[in-house]
Amino acid sequence: MHAVPFALYTHCGIHELAYAGKYYTRVGGPLTDGQGNPPAGWDNPYQRGSLVVRATQAFFSDATGHHETFAVRPGATSFETVCS
């Protein structure tokens, strides 16, 4: 599959994403600054980049060098974490 433009929601850190009716969670757990924000070097509230989906994984990357892997949550119909 080819890469598609994607804006990853980062406001409370990098936790999960939704794409094409499926929900994915970050492999390795949430990525935050320890205070509930995205780590230094990430835009807030969104990081623009691209997404590639293969089978049960989604791969996010951007021009600044971030590369994150997300795994599908079978049967999920909403996000696990709701950021205020």
Side-chain angles (χ1 to χ4, degrees), residues 10-15 31-39 44 83-84:
T10 61
H11 184 61
C12 293
I14 295 82
H15 296 265
L31 182 63
T32 72
D33 68 352
Q35 302 293 317
N37 301 299
N44 187 352
C83 180
S84 57

Side-chain angles (χ1 to χ4, degrees), residues 7-30:
L8 180 65
Y9 188 66
T10 61
H11 184 61
C12 293
I14 295 82
H15 296 265
E16 48 195 338
L17 64 84
Y19 180 75
K22 295 183 180 176
Y23 290 84
Y24 298 79
T25 189
R26 183 178 176 273
V27 172

Side-chain angles (χ1 to χ4, degrees), residues 13 22 26 32 42 51 55 64 67 74:
K22 295 183 180 176
R26 183 178 176 273
T32 72
W42 287 83
L51 192 69
T64 62
H67 300 280

